[in-house]
Amino acid sequence: MESPVTRKKTRLGGVALRRLRSTVAYIRRKERLSSLQGFESIKDSNSWSVRRIAEIAKIRHAKTYLEIGVFKGNTLKSVPIPIRVGVDPFPLFNPTNTPPGVKVVVSTSDSFFRWLPRRVRFDVVFLDGLHKARQTLKDFWNAARHSNQSTVFLIDDVYPDSDLTAMPSQRQSRLAKRLAGLETSRWHGDVWKVLIALEQVFPEFSFRVVNSPGADSAAGEDNPQAVVWRTSPSRMTRTGLRKALRIIKRLENERFSSAVKSYPKIFELFGEDEIPRMLGR
């Protein structure tokens, strides 16, 4: 039988191994920075995200912006907000080449929020990270602790185009789509579960899922997103976070198509042209 001492050494060895792998990955990433395109040379963007964020920024007179999950930096580059912070452990561009007012933090969102001074506030927050419900909920909870009464959140990937793209595992989603004969590479994950948790645990926030009228989401012409805003003062307690995480756990085996039928008001689609009315403009 393996002794407790041996088991402890094995666990420590596993932690050390993961840290080593993380260090190696970081070094490799640093070494390839010079081969990545600079921030200013990035082309294209998800126009719907930029368009919606620009409208929100105009309504709220936003000066500060936080983006979790910058990927290629397209949205971060394009939104018209003076002070922008992007967070991503593996940005697909050179994060050292950014214009004044733009900061890219090469870090996980959890680490970023741990060292972020409590006094820092953001006017607009865009959550487009791991496509995982648990992590997106934690990102929302953390970002809400760095928001003000008028802050607006935009959450990506809350309305998958099918159960196949709504799977929490990207690998399983890819396999399922291949077996179904679908060639799309789209994957939304299970972020949709966050809306159910928000509805049940954080009633001080209102939200609507918006899309681009006439656009074909399945064809990649649009991605419905949730616009979230605060309607009353709130304290983002850890008790609330734990309750919300338990709801997501209970939804573990729920299909998105079933959730839409069970929670029709939560997943009702609104045109993005209604954003000004939603935010009381």
Side-chain angles (χ1 to χ4, degrees):
M1 176 182 284
E2 188 181 37
S3 70
V5 174
T6 304
R7 286 199 297 272
K8 185 175 181 180
K9 287 183 178 179
T10 302
R11 286 198 296 270
L12 288 175
V15 171
L17 182 59
R18 287 195 296 274
R19 287 176 177 169
L20 177 61
R21 287 174 175 168
S22 177
T23 301
V24 171
Y26 177 79
I27 292 172
R28 287 176 176 169
R29 188 167 71 252
K30 282 293 186 181
E31 288 177 344
R32 71 183 180 87
L33 287 183
S34 60
S35 65
L36 292 175
Q37 62 177 332
F39 188 82
E40 289 299 334
S41 63
I42 294 170
K43 298 178 180 179
D44 296 329
S45 64
N46 290 332
S47 58
W48 51 85
S49 297
V50 176
R51 188 170 61 245
R52 292 162 189 167
I53 293 169
E55 179 67 16
I56 292 167
K58 182 172 66 174
I59 295 170
R60 288 294 201 243
H61 305 288
K63 298 292 187 292
T64 56
Y65 170 77
L66 173 65
E67 181 173 320
I68 302 296
V70 300
F71 193 44
K72 294 182 179 180
N74 296 328
T75 304
L76 183 65
K77 175 188 176 182
S78 303
V79 294
I81 300 176
I83 300 174
R84 288 164 274 168
V85 178
V87 181
D88 198 308
F90 300 101
L92 297 184
F93 62 95
N94 190 333
T96 64
N97 182 18
T98 58
V102 179
K103 171 72 174 178
V104 177
V105 181
V106 181
S107 164
T108 64
S109 56
D110 286 344
S111 296
F112 168 75
F113 284 117
R114 272 196 295 271
W115 64 254
L116 186 65
R118 188 72 180 89
R119 65 181 182 277
V120 175
R121 296 288 185 270
F122 296 99
D123 298 324
V124 180
V125 177
F126 181 38
L127 301 181
D128 186 22
L130 285 178
H131 297 199
K132 302 282 189 179
R134 285 182 58 86
Q135 187 60 52
T136 303
L137 178 64
K138 289 170 63 180
D139 289 340
F140 173 81
W141 183 82
N142 276 313
R145 288 159 62 88
H146 290 277
S147 65
N148 51 59
Q149 185 63 27
S150 63
T151 297
V152 179
F153 305 80
L154 188 68
I155 306 178
D156 201 36
D157 298 301
V158 295
Y159 201 99
D161 48 43
S162 75
D163 285 336
L164 298 182
T165 65
M167 293 181 173
S169 167
Q170 186 176 19
R171 180 178 297 179
Q172 291 180 6
S173 175
R174 186 183 298 117
L175 177 60
K177 287 181 292 185
R178 187 181 304 132
L179 293 174
L182 300 177
E183 297 183 357
T184 177
S185 61
R186 301 192 82 188
W187 174 62
H188 301 91
D190 63 344
V191 180
W192 56 269
K193 297 173 184 174
V194 172
L195 299 188
I196 299 174
L198 289 181
E199 175 76 11
Q200 297 183 15
V201 181
F202 301 108
E204 62 270 34
F205 289 93
S206 292
F207 62 83
R208 295 289 186 274
V209 179
V210 301
N211 69 343
S212 307
D216 186 350
S217 297
E221 297 175 355
D222 177 41
N223 190 14
Q225 297 166 319
V227 178
V228 185
W229 66 97
R230 187 183 275 102
T231 53
S232 62
S234 64
R235 292 181 64 249
M236 303 302 290
T237 65
R238 293 192 179 277
T239 299
L241 176 61
R242 286 193 291 267
K243 287 175 63 177
L245 289 172
R246 285 197 294 271
I247 289 172
I248 287 177
K249 177 66 176 178
R250 290 201 295 270
L251 293 168
E252 188 173 13
N253 297 316
E254 183 86 5
R255 291 179 181 272
F256 174 67
S257 57
S258 299
V260 170
K261 294 177 181 178
S262 300
Y263 305 96
K265 289 188 176 181
I266 289 179
F267 295 103
E268 182 180 359
L269 290 172
F270 294 80
E272 64 179 59
D273 55 347
E274 295 191 52
I275 290 177
R277 181 185 60 80
M278 293 173 188
L279 299 181
R281 182 174 177 179

